């Protein structure tokens, strides 16, 4: 789709400064833009790019004063970054504007679909499942029996939701992520074998959660594994049975949380972190990437690092010395030698 | 489904102590139970919950003597925990009671299906594949050509089994797990490029193995990658080509085992562990989460930790000192200073 | 399929030394071979296996002189390993010889398919997608709108490619891998919630790339996440938005690369490595498994290890001392004690 500078100016409530008929069909960073691209300049630091860019249109602040020649049409708005974000979102909405039921799909006769739902080909919606208005079930998604999905949620191709799980409104889940697989529970027997402990709970995902691709969230043994409102999870994350993630907590890729651990609200957890089971992390806890957390953290809003983790500052000081260890050992040897020499003097 | 206390009493061969007509339709922990729930009390430590619980029915030991008022109907049995486990399993069996062939599914004319097999919609069963009696192939599962699956095995939605792999009886594999993808084998060439080494082996999974979701098990270069009887694997695990996992070994989430490594029976391996290729781990080896194992372990039944790993005790002692490193360095400096002062006295 | 020694001799341009009519139907390592197997002997070190093997046919060098009795038919060729590799590749090609369109599949009317393309059942090919000649789209694969796939590429069952991504020629992607899921971009708000940053870029995968199973490669925020020619990626890898992987770089399983990081050509990166965002790694950099890379590496061709990483040699020296830390601390205490005693003498 092509848009003229004039059309975009009207959309953003901005003033067109240049050719109103120039057209664009894509969005790009100002330093990478090609003819036909729309870009933005929000930070003075990048101003020099304006004088080199091939972007056909650049969104700038309303009081921007150029200091060199440029070729783009400018659109002057109150806040260039916000205006560009609006365009990004609208572009994305257009790209993801799917609706209707594609065939073949499998919708159990007892399932209930809201208005304006998208069901892609080869999607499966089980018995008694409920899908709220405007939700998008992409191709090859599996929605098990009795699953409830709220409004305006999106499941990308290949998402698997096991039976009895509950998903809120405005939730986004990316491809190949699995919600509700069995918790890892086995009772050791005298002969060295293990007996499976049935996992009969479910997973509850509250509103406005986003979950990346290839992530696994296990169902609770009994009760629920809970991902609370506004949580953001990256790709390839492991959340074990009965885990509870507090509202607006963010977890980066490849991190694992063991069974029954409860993480409070507004935490920020880096990638490749491991957290043991049956502990609690206080509100606002920050964990550096690759750390290992082996006991509860009770003080709010602190930053931790290392495996096992200590405070971030203590860990950083220790790491600095770590690589001097061979040197420290040599200095101790020298001290011992000197002291022995003194004793024999 | 609803059950009365009387029905459950008969099922568990227990004595109903209270209203035999009260009904339940779910199982719950005693501290979380709502009316309509059945719960259990096996451990004296949790006795106080009985006097607060809203559970309609609580299973207790046959000689349990209450010491305060309570509202639930009791069912007295020999072993409360075992009786409850039986109910958990039966509940699970009911929840997963799938059978028949859903349409559309793809079953190659040369494939052989046993009795009472479930094939979900959009499942694919390739040429010459064999599926044993009572096995469940959920929707969107892929079973490649010549794959053999035993009896009473369950593949949850989206499991992918590449051609020629062999799966035993009573195996459970969770969603999006991949069995038999190519081993990571490439021959470096003089010009910096790599040539693929064809991976023509397979994966053999023996009886009573359970594998979590989003796990990858690569096929052997030649021969077989083998997961032996009773092994339990968690989510997001990587097992490379020609790996051999001994009977009843348990591996937690996000652990990786490199090519041709052989792990003996009854090992317990924590999460996020990395194990290099071409080594062997002795029977009963235990590895702490996040450890890195870079050489063979020959002594049986020992516990290891760290990266590179040492014995668990040695590792723990070193970790304790690690965070005092900056302090140690300062003390060495002081000693050096004092000794220099002594020398100049 | 069965082949005689004579047929294989002709195929490999070799000389049959033994029964030309003996037949084989599989390839095996010489030490594991059963009757009906074809094997090879390229390395003198394994010569003793020739005198024990049950392989029906063994490929050997043209000037090989046996020193004990054996039962196999030999096929003498110029280079035994290369000849066996040719057979491996041909075996693999036969095993993966799929073509035609299986039903039901979903091919959007605006999609374009080249000649001799395989589309498996339940595969989905979106609007305006282009699939080049001889490419194989296995069952349950998802190809989003506007995706371009080159010639002779293979996507195994369950691969998911989001809209607008571009895949080159001779690319292999294994099951459940996700290309083009949203980058992990969220703008923190004053009230502790996060607002999604729309991810409107794509992923470009150049020619001759191979990607393992359950790997996630996120689309760029704007522009492209790029995997360059000849890159080999293992299973369960995380590549974040706007990452750029240089030609012929190899990355092992469970490694994660954060946003906007640029890795140059011919690097070799071990498993479970974590690399922070917005850095660059120089050409030929080697990273040991489990390392953490937190700043740019500018010197080419060096080996790094540890978290945070130092040069491989420095890291190894520090690790050796690490486990002696409790002993070092004790020695410092002794020195302090002795010095105090001296002072009071």
């Amino acid at each position: 789709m092509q848009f003229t500078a004039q059309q975009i100016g009207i959309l953003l409530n901005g003033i067109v400064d240049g050719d109103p008929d120039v057209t664009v069909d894509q969005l790009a960073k100002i330093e990478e833009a090609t003819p036909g691209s729309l870009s933005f300049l929000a930070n003075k630091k990048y101003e020099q790019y304006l004088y080199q860019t091939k972007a056909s249109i650049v969104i700038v602040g309303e009081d921007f004063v150029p200091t060199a020649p440029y070729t783009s049409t400018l659109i002057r708005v109150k806040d260039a970054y916000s205006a560009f974000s609006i365009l990004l979102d609208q572009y994305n909405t257009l790209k993801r504007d799917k609706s209707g039921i594609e065939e073949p799909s499998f919708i159990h006769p007892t399932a209930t679909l809201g208005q304006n739902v998208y069901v892609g080909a080869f999607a499966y919606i089980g018995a008694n499942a409920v899908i709220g208005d405007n939700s998008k079930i992409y191709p090859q998604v599996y929605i098990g029996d009795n699953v409830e999905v709220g409004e305006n949620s999106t499941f990308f191709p290949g998402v698997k939701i096991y039976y009895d799980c509950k998903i809120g409104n405005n939730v986004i889940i990316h491809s190949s992520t699995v919600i509700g697989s069995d918790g890892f529970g086995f009772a050791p027997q005298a002969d060295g074998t293990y007996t499976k402990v049935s996992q009969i709970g479910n997973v509850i995902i509250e509103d406005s959660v986003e979950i990346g691709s290839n992530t696994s969230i296990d169902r609770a043994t009994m009760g629920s594994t809970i991902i609370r409102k506004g949580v953001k999870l990256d790709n390839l994350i492991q959340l074990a049975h009965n885990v509870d993630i507090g509202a607006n907590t963010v977890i980066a890729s490849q991190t694992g949380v063991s069974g029954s651990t409860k993480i409070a609200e507004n935490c920020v957890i880096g990638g490749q972190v491991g957290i043991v089971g049956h502990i609690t992390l206080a509100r606002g806890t920050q964990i550096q990437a690759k750390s290992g957390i082996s006991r509860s953290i009770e003080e709010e809003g602190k930053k931790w690092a290392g495996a096992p983790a200590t405070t971030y500052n203590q860990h950083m000081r220790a790491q600095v010395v770590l690589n001097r260890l061979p040197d420290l050992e040599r200095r101790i040897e020298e001290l011992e030698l000197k002291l022995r020499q003194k004793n024999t003097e």
Side-chain angles (χ1 to χ4, degrees), chain A:
Chain A
M1 271 157 300
Q2 286 203 323
F3 298 91
T4 64
Q6 185 151 32
Q7 285 170 321
I8 292 164
I10 290 164
L11 180 72
L12 299 178
N13 198 21
I15 296 159
V16 177
D17 178 352
D19 177 3
D21 296 327
V22 68
T23 58
V24 290
D25 61 0
Q26 58 180 321
L27 308 177
K29 292 186 210 170
I30 192 165
E31 66 269 34
E32 296 174 352
T34 50
S37 297
L38 181 150
S39 195
F40 76 105
L41 172 65
N43 188 330
K44 261 283 186 190
K45 213 169 66 178
Y46 300 114
E47 184 181 328
Q48 87 268 20
Y49 288 123
L50 177 66
Y51 311 121
Q52 303 157 8
T53 190
K54 289 174 180 148
S56 300
I57 305 177
V58 178
I59 299 172
V60 298
E62 56 192 355
D63 49 6
F64 172 73
V65 181
T67 60
Y70 60 91
T71 62
S72 316
T73 290
L74 305 185
I75 297 181
R76 297 174 173 280
V77 297
K78 204 158 183 185
D79 177 343
Y81 180 73
S82 295
F84 191 72
S85 292
I86 288 167
L87 290 182
L88 276 181
D89 292 347
Q90 296 216 343
Y91 181 89
N92 224 17
T93 302
L94 275 177
K95 279 284 175 187
R96 298 179 176 182
D97 179 29
K98 297 281 182 186
S99 63
I101 313 291
E102 293 175 355
E103 291 299 344
S105 51
F106 182 102
I107 302 173
H108 195 278
T110 59
T112 308
L113 268 60
Q115 303 216 315
N116 192 35
V117 165
Y118 169 53
V119 179
F122 318 123
Y124 185 104
I125 299 180
N128 305 309
V130 179
I131 312 289
D133 295 349
N134 303 311
S135 282
K136 293 183 174 64
I137 312 298
Y138 272 76
Q140 302 148 342
V141 166
Y142 175 83
I143 307 282
D145 298 347
N146 310 311
V147 167
E148 294 174 21
V149 177
E151 300 180 4
N152 201 31
S153 287
T154 300
F155 299 163
F156 283 102
V159 166
K160 310 298 178 198
I161 317 276
Y162 282 49
Y163 60 93
D164 291 354
C165 293
K166 293 188 197 316
I167 318 283
N169 303 314
N170 303 307
V171 169
I172 298 173
I173 306 182
H174 285 280
S175 287
S176 290
T177 280
V178 178
I179 308 294
S181 42
D182 280 351
F184 197 59
F186 300 95
Q189 305 299 304
D191 64 355
T193 64
Y194 292 85
T195 302
K196 181 176 178 68
V197 178
S198 286
Q199 306 287 312
I200 68 156
N202 71 349
V203 178
I204 296 175
I205 295 177
E206 296 186 354
D207 296 348
S208 304
V209 168
E210 181 160 346
I211 305 176
S213 54
N214 281 315
T215 278
S216 291
I217 304 181
D218 282 349
R219 66 196 311 108
T221 308
M222 277 195 283
S224 300
T225 303
I226 305 181
I227 314 300
R228 296 184 191 273
K229 200 171 170 177
V231 165
K232 309 298 178 190
L233 302 176
D234 202 348
N235 305 332
L236 292 156
I237 286 172
Q238 149 75 356
L239 300 183
H241 46 179
N242 295 88
V243 157
D244 182 331
I245 308 290
N248 301 318
T249 280
V250 173
I251 304 182
S253 180
Q254 297 179 319
T255 281
V257 183
S258 301
S260 299
T261 281
K262 192 174 162 71
I263 298 178
E265 317 88 280
N266 298 101
C267 295
V268 177
I269 298 175
Q272 298 185 341
V273 168
I275 302 178
V276 301
H278 299 273
I279 66 170
T280 58
L281 303 194
R283 181 190 171 87
T285 295
Q286 295 180 44
I287 315 262
Q288 204 198 21
K290 268 196 175 298
S291 297
I293 308 297
S294 52
R295 58 204 160 86
S296 289
I297 293 173
E298 280 156 35
E299 222 183 333
E300 296 189 354
K302 291 281 172 195
K303 194 166 179 183
W304 302 81
T310 56
T311 61
Y312 182 77
N313 288 339
Q314 192 179 11
H315 176 74
M316 284 297 130
R317 278 196 301 264
Q319 288 302 320
V320 167
V321 185
L322 191 58
N323 291 315
R324 291 202 294 264
L325 261 185
D327 178 54
L328 288 191
E329 188 175 42
R330 193 188 44 71
R331 284 160 69 186
I332 292 170
E333 273 160 26
E334 268 173 33
L335 284 165
E336 287 167 338
L337 181 68
K338 279 183 187 158
L339 215 59
R340 268 201 303 280
Q341 287 170 339
K342 276 202 103 55
N343 284 339
T344 56
E345 266 169 26

